[in-house]
Amino acid sequence: MRAVIASAAGGPEVLSLGEVADPVPAPGEVLVEVVATAVNKADTLQRQGHYAPPPGTSEVIGLECSGRIVGLGAGVEGWSVGDEVCALLTGGGYAELVAVPAGQLLPVPAGIDLVTAAALPEVACTVWSNVFMVAGLQPGETLLVHGGAGGIGTFAIQLASALSARVLTTAGSAEKLAVCAELGADVTINYRDDDFVAVVKDVTDGHGADVVLDNMGAAYLDRNLDALATEGRLVIIGMQGGTKGELDIGKLLRKRGAVIATTLRARPPVEKEAICAAVAEHVWPLVAQGAVRPVVHTTLPLAEVAEAHRLMDQSEHVGKIVLTVAD
Ligand SMILES: NC(=O)c1ccc[n+]([C@@H]2O[C@H](COP(=O)([O-])OP(=O)(O)OC[C@H]3O[C@@H](n4cnc5c(N)ncnc54)[C@H](OP(=O)(O)O)[C@@H]3O)[C@@H](O)[C@H]2O)c1
């Protein structure tokens, strides 16, 4: 089959289409003919050699896809050849075929076309699992979303807003902040110009954010604690600002706060299955109603994967970058 291969670790130019062996579905897996996939920050890290796939998984980049089932491994029930699906992958999405555990399949939400559906699994599963399952955001609470104009950010703003939280968000330009506001953010903060801690304190009358969804890691650790409300939950999902920071435990315990960090890719299949089931139950109805929509910056053919990665490296995008695989 055709798949994206990397000639070396490096910039976007190392990516091109090549031939690799077809995947074979193991027991409990299905074989999906990929119609579209989408670019994630993790893909750019894998390309650079900073994020190796878990042992035993595909070397091909790609954490999500949409497509049609073309084969069933032993013991798979509830899915049939020909079903249109989208899927949360551990890898292998930038290819014509991918094998995926049946528990990581999701139906295509009503009203969403099959290509656009590729933009949903990673953001929906990451945001639902972290903001709602782990941090337990409640209606009426305040969520601070860092990087609100990215793939994760555009989804988090909409989902939290649809579920009656107050949403504050950071982004790096006035144009991106305007999109965040249009998606439902109540307060937008330009992280280049403004101190997000001061703004969060100001707009919450000193209360702070009940939940912070963080992509910056070390660089924001101390300021995120300052922005956190009493009994607040800081959920770190990205390390764009480094991995090693200093945690002021005094601040944390005075606030009875929690600092939690997770990565979806490394979770065992049974946890991914539970997350996918929860997303289908709680998130897909909101997508079908139009209360939460996939935000797609651009859709490119898989042959233009290097340009897609360049866009993400330069952060020129708002929302997701989709790659079409099948015609
Ligand atoms: N742990 C997990 O399971 C998991 C799963 C998925 C994603 N993630 C992480 O979530 C993050 C977002 O992923 P993505 O795929 O949505 O990537 P993305 O679309 O490239 O979003 C990254 C965002 O980071 C923002 N950013 C850059 N510098 C910033 C700063 N100083 N303060 C605040 N925001 C800043 C960018 O905003 P501007 O363009 O406005 O500068 C951009 O919107 C990444 O760190 C990724 O690794 C983690």
Side-chain angles (χ1 to χ4, degrees):
M1 66 167 180
R2 283 185 321 155
V4 170
I5 51 176
S7 56
E13 69 284 353
V14 303
L15 301 177
S16 63
L17 286 181
E19 285 290 324
V20 303
D22 288 3
V24 177
E29 292 185 343
V30 304
L31 189 65
V32 174
E33 182 181 52
V34 178
V35 166
T37 182
V39 183
N40 286 282
K41 200 80 173 174
D43 304 348
T44 66
L45 296 174
Q46 184 169 337
R47 185 202 76 219
Q48 294 164 45
H50 299 316
Y51 194 38
T57 58
S58 173
E59 292 287 322
V60 175
I61 297 174
L63 296 177
E64 59 192 333
C65 74
S66 59
R68 294 182 188 86
I69 295 178
V70 291
L72 300 174
V76 172
E77 291 176 4
W79 298 98
S80 305
V81 169
D83 284 353
E84 293 190 340
V85 294
C86 50
L88 180 71
L89 308 174
T90 307
Y94 291 15
E96 289 177 320
L97 294 167
V98 67
V100 53
Q104 291 168 221
L105 295 175
L106 287 150
V108 176
I112 301 296
D113 67 83
L114 194 53
V115 168
T116 305
L120 285 170
E122 181 71 16
V123 292
C125 290
T126 300
V127 173
W128 183 262
S129 61
N130 284 289
V131 175
F132 294 92
M133 294 172 80
V134 170
L137 182 72
Q138 298 297 311
E141 286 194 323
T142 297
L143 171 69
L144 171 63
V145 178
H146 285 301
I152 294 287
T154 51
F155 201 85
I157 291 169
Q158 295 183 82
L159 189 56
S161 181
L163 293 172
S164 305
R166 186 177 189 213
V167 182
L168 324 180
T169 195
T170 59
S173 73
E175 295 74 24
K176 290 187 174 186
L177 291 170
V179 175
C180 295
E182 188 259 325
L183 292 173
D186 299 285
V187 176
T188 61
I189 306 162
N190 188 325
Y191 67 77
R192 297 183 203 277
D193 298 339
D194 296 317
D195 172 11
F196 72 80
V197 177
V199 178
V200 169
K201 288 282 174 61
D202 184 41
V203 301
T204 60
D205 295 328
H207 175 80
D210 299 293
V211 174
V212 178
L213 182 65
D214 176 68
N215 58 338
M216 295 305 294
Y220 278 6
L221 180 59
D222 194 51
R223 292 164 73 205
N224 277 334
L225 283 192
D226 288 337
L228 210 57
T230 299
E231 299 191 348
R233 292 83 75 197
L234 164 60
V235 194
I236 303 172
I237 62 165
M239 302 175 289
Q240 291 170 229
T243 57
K244 291 188 181 173
E246 194 168 281
L247 178 69
D248 184 334
I249 293 167
K251 273 185 198 175
L252 192 62
L253 65 80
R254 278 193 296 279
K255 289 191 172 180
R256 302 187 296 283
V259 180
I260 310 152
T262 76
T263 177
L264 185 57
R265 189 184 198 183
R267 285 192 180 217
V270 64
E271 289 186 21
K272 290 182 184 168
E273 181 172 350
I275 291 167
C276 287
V279 163
E281 181 183 349
H282 300 289
V283 182
W284 267 204
L286 295 169
V287 176
Q289 290 161 23
V292 177
R293 64 179 172 85
V295 177
V296 175
H297 179 80
T298 190
T299 301
L300 297 170
L302 191 63
E304 293 181 36
V305 61
E307 168 61 8
H309 273 230
R310 192 197 64 75
L311 284 172
M312 183 166 272
D313 282 357
Q314 302 298 321
S315 215
E316 290 175 14
H317 64 298
V318 170
K320 297 287 292 189
I321 301 165
V322 171
L323 294 167
T324 51
V325 179
D327 293 335

